[in-house]
Amino acid sequence: MDDADALGPPAKMRERRGELTPMLSQYLDLCERYPDSLVLFQVGDFYETFCEAAEVTARLLEITLTKREDSTGRYPMAGIPVDSAESYIETLLDAGYRVAVADQVQEPSETTGVVDRAVTRIVTPGTLTEDAFLDDDNVFVAALADGDDHGAERGLAVLDVSTGDFYATGGEAGAVADEIQRFAPAEAVIAPGLSADAFDGGTMVTPFRPDAFDPERAGGKVADYFGDPDTVLGSTAEVRACGALLAYAEYTRAGEADRLDYLNHLTRYDPREYLLLDATALRSLELFERRALGGEASATLFDTVNETASALGARRLTDWLRRPLLDEGEIAARHDAVGELVSDVVTRESLHDDLRDVYDVERLVSRVSRGRANARDLRSLKSTLDVVPRLREALSDADSDRLRDLRERLDPCEDVRARIGSALVAEPPIELTEGGLIDEGYDADLDDLRATEREGKAWIDDLEADERERTGIDSLKVGVNQVHGYYIEVTNPNLDAVPDDYQRRQTLKNSERFVTPELKEREEEIVTAEERADDLEYALFTDLRDEVAAETERIQAVADALAALDALQSLATVAAERDYTRPELGADGFHIEGGRHPVVERTQPNFVPNPTDLDRGTVAVITGPNMAGKSTYMRQVALIQVLVQAGSFVPAEAASLPVVDRVFTRVGASDDIAGGRSTFMVEMTELATILRAASEESLVLLDEVGRGTSTTDGLALARATVEHVHDVVGATTLFATHHHELTATADRLDRARNLHFAADGTGEAVDFTHRLREGPAGASYGVEVARSAGVPDPVVSRAHELLDREGAAATPDEPAVAANGGVDEAVFDRLRRTDIANTTPLEALDLLAELKAATDE
Ligand SMILES: Nc1ncnc2c1ncn2[C@@H]1O[C@H](COP(=O)(O)OP(=O)(O)OP(=O)(O)O)[C@@H](O)[C@H]1O
């Protein structure tokens, strides 16, 4: 928040409440009613702000700060034009404000006093519906609540007001925090007493009436929209969150009918139904956001597999990547559909072409339902429905269950389509009150009015010729202007010939303008017919819009099917064009032939495919020089896994994979400077999460764990981590490290493997092959990488000299950190297997004796 003083009633006005002019006292009232929002107050063609709010808006929007002066005092004032308000409002949102737009809701001509004003909408970052603010992506607002007992149980509700997408989920606080990250809401309301910690800096946490979270009240709200809360939701925490979120969404629609009629569908899910990707994983795998490490902006996974043709499809594909599936049947159903479209080029391409004509129906229909849609919106809806029969035709021979099911669900809504088609002209204007919307033949009364208008105009068109003949004045002209309407113009030399029934209207320098009683009558007829036609058109249009609004659920169902079809089409297009293969599911390990990194292969023309062959529970220790490709490889495996479970084919020659419950990553350095934590602290926090939460069903990527501290500590931690993951956690793990000593640890453990990236050290230059091999890496090429990076020769030579001197110390096959000081491996193992927490003092003494005996031998 830039400056909280800009909110609420200005002190200066409050002090003089009794004396203020009626207009300013209206402003003061509105500021009091909307104390959390910056009030934009319409005065004619401007939205004005006053006092502190004016100072803040003038600064943020770079507009002039002026003053309003009256008998009660001088008030700073700053205003923005109503016509270009949206871009200014956007800047205010970016600065962290909510904006309450107070419009004049009465014509100034209707009153002798001050015009009525009311807040007609509250614009907040998470509840945007105006096209001007939106791109294709979802914009979410969330609500977080706890249960009756205020324990660790949390409920989360997430809503996109512009599309009507509504999700609810719940669970213990940590799991729900992960779900929040998946949706990355722009805004959130939270129950009284809860901390906002689960939200990061990208979410504006907004205060809201605590009573909206009251279980009874919230339950009532949920019932109002979706039926019995106990049936549709999982816990009181979820009910509180959903109810409060609905109340908040209604609150921001001030002025419009309270209820959001297009919210018909609630998706309630359990986080355990989807592959869990926490914030760290989403970030480090760059699913949606670029990290631009080292200034090099790379594409995201989403960019790479997004070949959707519509906004609906793009949002659906985002959701599939954000919440990959766990259910093998569901995954296979998507794979079947993708497979069919991969092999059927004709269908795939015709789907892609047709889907390009699909508009953002979810948003269209929500605008229709809110009474905000114009005639163009309805035409766009019709164009979209026009596509549906073509899509059904393209899918007529579909085999896979999913495609057949989608075909079934593609209801062309023939009645709606025909109705819009017959009512509206092909290219209606945006304005709704100035006519030109409704087509001929739709309404008899309208056609009559238009006929009157046409006849009147035809009569006038003929008038010039008729009057020239009657008067004999060849230069006589008939014209029209805004102020005086139709007139007959006669130049001064001909004034003598003017007949008696001409009435003078206007005198110009060289001519006079006249009207005749008949011309006035005709004109009156035309104007009346025009006005009545405009009003009638508006009425017919709103009736049509209401009729379409009554079909909201049907149209939403079509939108849902279109979205899924487009997402499948996208996956199939990518698979076909980039040579992806269908993965086999249900394997007891990760077996990939010729795997590729889906994003890097797009920018590296000579990308080297690499295999993966890891039984479940294997810990692979991956060594190799800097720049050899370790990080790329590890991410490649994880991305392939995410793609599989999202329903996609994968960049590989062949793949046979299990379904994993969660992908964990501890990759690269991510300083949390804003959070005040050092790189090492962040690294350890992430590591702690993984070691606590990973299961045998998880896939874990650990990249250079322990790098952020001293070598000894780092190595000790890395080693302890490998052992713990191997012995206790049991997750399949890829562990990249520069500590060659770790390769010895891997040699000792049953399910650990050494893999490495070799580099050909030809002479003193390094040639990266990017090829993964069995066993530990032979040497570190760090010094050569330093040379190719431009480190001066003397430093490089000296480093070589030092390396030579240290010799064997750096060889990788040496056992790990002589930490056991020569103690027999069996003793070491015995210690490792000991669970101290479950060892009695007596047992401990026995153990000590046993170990002592072993070392004495
Ligand atoms: N299989 C591959 N084929 C072609 N180029 C690759 C391959 N793998 C990685 N690269 C390229 O090599 C460079 C280094 O890759 P990467 O960052 O994965 O190496 P690294 O071993 O993790 O390095 P460091 O240890 O310094 O983190 C990247 O620019 C990447 O694009």
Side-chain angles (χ1 to χ4, degrees), residues 271-336:
R272 286 167 299 195
E273 292 165 26
Y274 294 94
L275 168 63
L276 188 50
L277 293 163
D278 61 12
T280 314
L282 287 171
R283 227 180 12 250
S284 58
L285 293 175
E286 299 185 327
L287 293 197
F288 303 107
E289 238 175 87
R290 297 179 179 89
R291 295 204 321 161
L293 263 190
E296 197 184 319
S298 56
T300 63
L301 181 67
F302 174 73
D303 297 334
T304 306
V305 296
N306 178 23
E307 288 290 338
T308 57
S310 68
L312 297 175
R315 283 199 297 274
R316 181 59 53 92
L317 186 62
T318 305
D319 190 49
W320 287 1
L321 288 180
R322 188 166 49 211
R323 298 187 303 149
L325 301 167
L326 292 185
D327 185 287
E328 245 177 65
E330 276 288 301
I331 300 171
R334 282 190 199 164
H335 288 167
D336 285 344

Side-chain angles (χ1 to χ4, degrees), residues 296 595-597 600-601 603-610 622-636 668 703-704 707 736-738 757 768-772 785:
E296 197 184 319
R596 306 176 321 259
H597 188 297
V600 177
E601 75 160 338
T603 49
Q604 289 280 347
N606 301 316
F607 190 87
V608 180
N610 276 306
I622 306 175
T623 42
N626 298 85
M627 294 296 288
K630 302 182 295 295
S631 306
T632 307
Y633 176 73
M634 296 207 305
R635 288 195 171 107
Q636 162 183 321
D703 198 356
E704 299 186 28
R707 190 171 57 165
T737 180
H738 285 128
F757 277 92
F768 296 118
T769 60
H770 299 303
R771 215 169 283 288
L772 183 71
V785 174

